[in-house]
Amino acid sequence: MKFSRIIQGCMTWGVWGKQFNQQQMIETMNHCLEKGITTFDHADIYGDYTTEGEWGNAFAKANISRDTIQIISKCGIQMKGDARAENTIKHYQYDKEYIISSAERSLKELRTEYLDLFLLHRPSPLLDPDEVQEAVSLLQQQGKIKDFGVSNFTPRTIDLLATKCEVTANQVEISITERSSLTDGTLDYMMTHNITPMSWSPLGSVFREDTPQNVRITNKLKELGDKYNATEDQLLLAWLLKHPANIHPVIGTTSKDRITNAVEAVAINLERKDWFELLEASTGEEVA
């Protein structure tokens, strides 16, 4: 695999979450590596454009060999905020010059010479595939990015881009409570075109919202916990990992115990019956 099966998301490492200091970032990086997570997921906007730089400074001090890890980043969202006061409205930007400058900024902030994967963060109604192709081609020729992909893109929009450049990954929301990609053709499309699916928010809303759906799911997870000797979060990840599309969950936790749990979930092979029981708990009805 190009990426570890579990990917560590870094959105909440900075001011949008735990506000780690440099030593805490280094310790968390090393814990991930000790447990087998080698892929770290970023975006330029995280922490109002500050988290990449903080992570990169920690990485430079961590004595971690660059060729032992994979770094992902994303570009394209222009946020309103202190970092970009000129943005009077949130919007998307994907002209050639901006894509290149965003990639180069991420390289500088992350203290690396290349990105293993560079994603367009959200689809834009003004997306011009020729502009994207020119930027991606140049960045790849210069060795600044290895692979190119997208995030939150539909199959039709990927088809548009694919007329000009190869799309190797699509990072979308997939979980037991956000199942649309399982039924709307998104995962089928990625399997057909050999595109790696990456799931953000892979635990869904199970631990965030008290809803009848989540009560049903939680009850089933408790029932299955003894059978698999697994925690509820491990079973939710195992449910995604069972899918033949080879989904790579992007976990958002910064807890070392939860990171360890996530890696151990890879070894859990849910029985088909149990997979469908969790699906039924989510939908509230048996399959047609």
Side-chain angles (χ1 to χ4, degrees):
M1 293 184 185
K2 292 182 179 179
F3 310 101
S4 56
R5 190 66 193 278
I6 303 296
I7 295 172
Q8 179 62 54
C10 299
M11 183 177 73
T12 62
W13 288 33
V15 297
W16 281 4
K18 294 298 183 179
Q19 303 184 51
F20 279 166
N21 60 35
Q22 188 171 100
Q23 185 57 36
Q24 288 172 316
M25 286 198 177
I26 292 172
E27 290 173 359
T28 307
M29 289 178 198
N30 282 320
H31 181 76
C32 288
L33 292 175
E34 288 167 8
K35 298 303 177 182
I37 296 178
T38 60
T39 307
F40 297 87
D41 178 76
H42 294 271
D44 56 354
I45 64 169
Y46 291 166
D48 192 16
Y49 302 94
T50 64
T51 301
E52 281 189 326
E54 293 172 353
W55 191 95
N57 289 337
F59 174 62
K61 296 287 183 64
N63 196 30
I64 295 171
S65 176
R66 177 64 180 89
D67 61 7
T68 63
I69 68 169
Q70 304 83 45
I71 300 177
I72 301 169
S73 195
K74 316 175 195 72
C75 81
I77 299 178
Q78 286 274 32
M79 289 182 58
K80 295 188 293 183
D82 295 337
R84 299 193 179 182
E86 69 276 13
N87 287 344
T88 58
I89 186 172
K90 181 181 178 183
H91 61 284
Y92 309 125
Q93 185 169 353
Y94 291 123
D95 57 86
K96 174 184 176 180
E97 291 74 18
Y98 184 76
I99 293 172
I100 292 172
S101 66
S102 293
E104 291 175 340
R105 179 187 181 279
S106 289
L107 293 175
K108 179 180 178 182
E109 295 294 302
L110 292 165
R111 306 287 288 270
T112 182
E113 294 182 352
Y114 64 92
L115 296 172
D116 295 270
L117 179 63
F118 188 49
L119 308 176
L120 305 187
H121 205 155
R122 293 269 179 182
S124 169
L126 298 179
L127 184 72
D128 183 338
D130 289 306
E131 292 270 333
V132 175
Q133 186 275 330
E134 291 177 15
V136 169
S137 178
L138 182 61
L139 289 168
Q140 288 182 322
Q141 288 172 15
Q142 294 174 340
K144 295 177 179 178
I145 66 172
K146 288 191 173 182
D147 283 317
F148 167 71
V150 295
S151 180
N152 305 296
F153 274 52
T154 65
R156 293 297 296 272
T157 311
I158 296 175
D159 275 339
L160 175 65
L161 275 178
T163 63
K164 303 295 180 179
C165 49
E166 183 182 9
V167 177
T168 64
N170 187 17
Q171 199 173 108
V172 295
E173 185 178 8
I174 316 172
S175 70
I176 199 167
T177 56
E178 176 43 67
R179 308 177 314 277
S180 58
S181 61
L182 278 72
T183 56
D184 66 6
T186 298
L187 284 173
D188 298 335
Y189 176 92
M190 286 192 265
M191 292 175 70
T192 301
H193 293 85
N194 198 31
I195 295 172
T196 300
M198 297 179 178
S199 163
W200 59 266
S201 193
L203 303 183
S205 65
V206 173
F207 304 121
R208 299 197 309 265
E209 299 174 5
D210 185 14
T211 65
Q213 177 192 42
N214 288 340
V215 170
R216 293 193 304 268
I217 293 170
T218 300
N219 288 339
K220 181 55 64 174
L221 291 172
K222 290 176 179 177
E223 180 184 322
L224 294 174
D226 290 338
K227 177 176 180 178
Y228 290 95
N229 190 27
T231 60
E232 294 175 8
D233 53 324
Q234 287 177 322
L235 291 170
L236 290 173
L237 291 174
W239 190 82
L240 285 181
L241 295 165
K242 180 76 172 179
H243 196 281
N246 194 29
I247 298 168
H248 287 52
V250 182
I251 60 172
T253 185
T254 55
S255 160
K256 291 180 181 177
D257 287 342
R258 294 284 289 274
I259 291 169
T260 300
N261 283 351
V263 174
E264 293 175 351
V266 176
I268 300 172
N269 183 18
L270 285 180
E271 293 180 12
R272 190 178 305 274
K273 176 181 70 71
D274 295 333
W275 192 93
F276 277 97
E277 285 188 355
L278 282 168
L279 176 64
E280 185 176 286
S282 179
T283 63
E285 56 188 25
E286 65 179 18
V287 295

